[in-house]
Amino acid sequence: FFYTSIMDYSDDDGMVDTDSGEESLLSDNPVDSDYEFTDQDMDNASTSKRSQISYLVLKEEDVRKHQRTDIEQVSTVLSISQVESIVLLLHYQWNVSKVEDEWFTGEEKVRELVGMLKEPVVDLNDREVSIECGICFDSYTQKEVTTLSCGHPYCNVCWTGYITTTINDGPGCLTVKCPEPSCSAVTACQYMVDKVITDKEHKEKYYRYFVRSYVEASGNKIRWCPSPGCEYAIDFASGSGSEHYDVSCLCSYEFCWNCGEDAHRPVDCETVSKLISKNTDESENTNWILANTKPCPNCKRQIEKSMGCNHMGCSICKHRFCWNCLGPMKGHKNCHKFKGGNETNVKRKRAKRAIDRYMHYYERWASNQSSRLIAMADLKKLQSVQLKWLSIRQCTTESQLQFTVEAWRQIIECRRVLKWTYAYGYYLPEEEQTKKQFFEYLQGEAEAGLERLHHCAEEELKHFVFKTQDSSKNFGDFRRKLTGLTEATKTYFENLVKALENGLADVALSESSKSKTKSKPATKRRKLK
């Protein structure tokens, strides 16, 4: 379920390609032997991974095909041109069913609302020459002017400037209104772009807006990958009913569909939100100040102790006092005897314990994130350079060495999961000791397994990549060890994830059974007389 829960939305996989006779307006070109396992196990694991895919990754061409299908459907059902279909779909946010419902409820009303005129206001059919442009007022032949459904004539040069300015103004360029102020006629800008725009940059800019309009109009069904520079979109509708929101894009970026943060399974979005707030909350600074500083008894400025001696001197007011009891050094006597009722010290100790606990979990959270980033760089290096070296030195094909790539992918995914288990542990109530012990046991087993796998992939693999003298038998042993560790670590983390997603229900069930057993009244036998 881990690193392979990703699917490329290919041209032949699940896409509808409706090639009609009408020319489309959409352009197609803008360890030891104990770790061994069988091939059958691999097939089963692969099938299990595929069954858990709950989203599709869409390339730009896939989005275009969706658009083309919708345009052709509306054009066919309503018996209108593709240009008019685009105008309607853009107006109704690419909602095909709504377009059809509104159209058949009242065609005239829709035409008036959208700006699709049935008959032209100006008829140029009987005029071949001396057609005056409504912007520059020069005369042109009919071939040199272009009109919308209203018939108002404008020369192609003026149209080029008008459309270019509209494109530069942003996504509002997707439909274009007649330049005549009193006219309500509208058409799809794409029709005008293909006819009068020759600048490649402006054409590409328009088509980017056009493709993005489909994704952004889908609401919560399709979203762009939030990674900077990524041009893939995610279709999450295919996983209806799925409770898992982690998405892995083809660009390798992983995020949560529900909250938009980095992928964080098995921790829920609420826990992630609390942790992020805590990591950036100014109250943590306050806690640190309370735990590690004391106020000067004279001027009340906070002072941090930087040396071992308890004889303090305030740098602001020059007051000298004892760090332990805050009493003045003049006439100071021993302050080693305990005096109860010092609420400030109690608060300070409590704050220090809270901050120590927070730092314990935060440091491990951050450490696993750092290890994950390094592992991602190591995987990139392996795929780009080292795999080829290893293939040459072991006299085998790169496809036979994919077990090393699988190991690194598993490491990357497990580091991500382990990172978020520390967030889970931090917010696990301390009074729930049984749950805490069970969680720490599962986490410890998973972490130990991951460290073994990471060490094997990081250190032992180097021996075969950089050393030329080695027998194939030793490499075979390494293959079995690494493959076995990969599978074993995967099992550890599957168990951990399953337990956390169930809220450690097994422990709660066990405790409930024990309490019922204890509450049963003892039955005494009656003595027969």
Side-chain angles (χ1 to χ4, degrees), residues 7-16 56 58 62 65:
M7 178 181 284
D8 180 0
Y9 209 16
S10 66
D11 292 347
D12 302 323
D13 190 9
M15 294 303 304
V16 179
L56 298 172
L58 304 178
D62 301 326
K65 283 187 176 182

Side-chain angles (χ1 to χ4, degrees), residues 107-165:
E107 178 185 338
E108 294 301 325
K109 183 181 177 182
V110 171
R111 283 186 176 277
E112 184 180 351
L113 177 66
V114 175
M116 288 169 45
L117 305 185
K118 235 180 182 181
E119 300 295 334
V121 177
V122 179
D123 189 2
L124 300 177
N125 289 331
D126 58 342
R127 298 170 61 185
E128 293 291 332
V129 295
S130 299
I131 300 174
E132 186 180 88
C133 170
I135 294 177
C136 65
F137 303 109
D138 287 339
S139 295
Y140 297 91
T141 63
Q142 195 174 64
K143 291 182 179 179
E144 295 173 314
V145 298
T146 300
T147 66
L148 302 187
S149 59
C150 57
H152 291 117
Y154 299 97
C155 70
N156 291 338
V157 175
C158 289
W159 269 120
T160 301
Y162 181 64
I163 299 299
T164 300
T165 303

Side-chain angles (χ1 to χ4, degrees), residues 230-243:
C230 179
E231 296 183 353
Y232 293 118
I234 311 297
D235 181 0
F236 205 77
S238 59
S240 56
S242 173
E243 296 179 357

Side-chain angles (χ1 to χ4, degrees), residues 179-334:
E180 170 61 41
S182 61
C183 182
S184 62
V186 171
T187 191
C189 188
Q190 184 170 319
Y191 164 72
M192 300 301 295
V193 166
D194 292 339
K195 187 166 185 179
V196 302
I197 299 296
T198 56
D199 183 73
K200 186 179 178 183
E201 183 181 345
H202 284 102
K203 274 193 172 185
E204 289 177 352
K205 192 173 184 179
Y206 168 80
Y207 277 106
R208 277 199 303 273
Y209 286 140
F210 189 73
V211 172
R212 295 191 78 86
S213 72
Y214 185 86
V215 175
E216 289 158 8
S218 69
N220 206 37
K221 184 176 178 290
I222 305 174
R223 292 183 197 166
W224 292 108
C225 171
S227 178
C230 179
E231 296 183 353
Y232 293 118
I234 311 297
D235 181 0
F236 205 77
S238 59
S240 56
S242 173
E243 296 179 357
H244 306 308
Y245 295 105
D246 282 1
V247 170
S248 181
C249 182
L250 291 177
C251 69
S252 299
Y253 182 73
E254 296 180 344
F255 67 98
C256 173
W257 179 269
N258 191 42
C259 68
E261 297 292 346
D262 290 346
H264 53 73
R265 189 182 179 200
V267 177
D268 59 42
C269 299
E270 185 182 356
T271 301
V272 172
S273 177
K274 285 195 294 186
L275 184 72
I276 291 173
S277 297
K278 189 167 187 66
N279 289 346
T280 56
D281 194 357
E282 283 300 317
S283 66
E284 289 307 309
N285 293 335
T286 305
N287 282 340
W288 187 92
I289 290 171
L290 186 59
N292 296 279
T293 68
K294 292 183 181 181
C296 168
N298 186 48
C299 67
K300 308 303 180 186
R301 299 290 183 92
Q302 293 295 134
I303 297 175
E304 180 185 5
K305 184 181 178 184
S306 59
M307 300 180 71
C309 177
N310 291 321
H311 188 162
M312 304 297 294
C314 177
S315 59
I316 305 298
C317 67
K318 310 303 179 185
H319 178 68
R320 307 188 75 79
F321 61 95
C322 171
W323 176 259
N324 287 331
C325 68
L326 301 181
M329 287 307 300
K330 187 175 181 180
H332 180 266
K333 296 182 179 180
N334 292 336

Side-chain angles (χ1 to χ4, degrees), residues 1 32 34 44 104 115 117 181 187 236 284 336 342 366 408 464 521:
F1 79 42
D32 49 33
D34 291 340
N44 292 340
F104 290 119
L117 305 185
T187 191
F236 205 77
E284 289 307 309
H336 60 283
N342 193 336
W408 276 109
F464 299 99

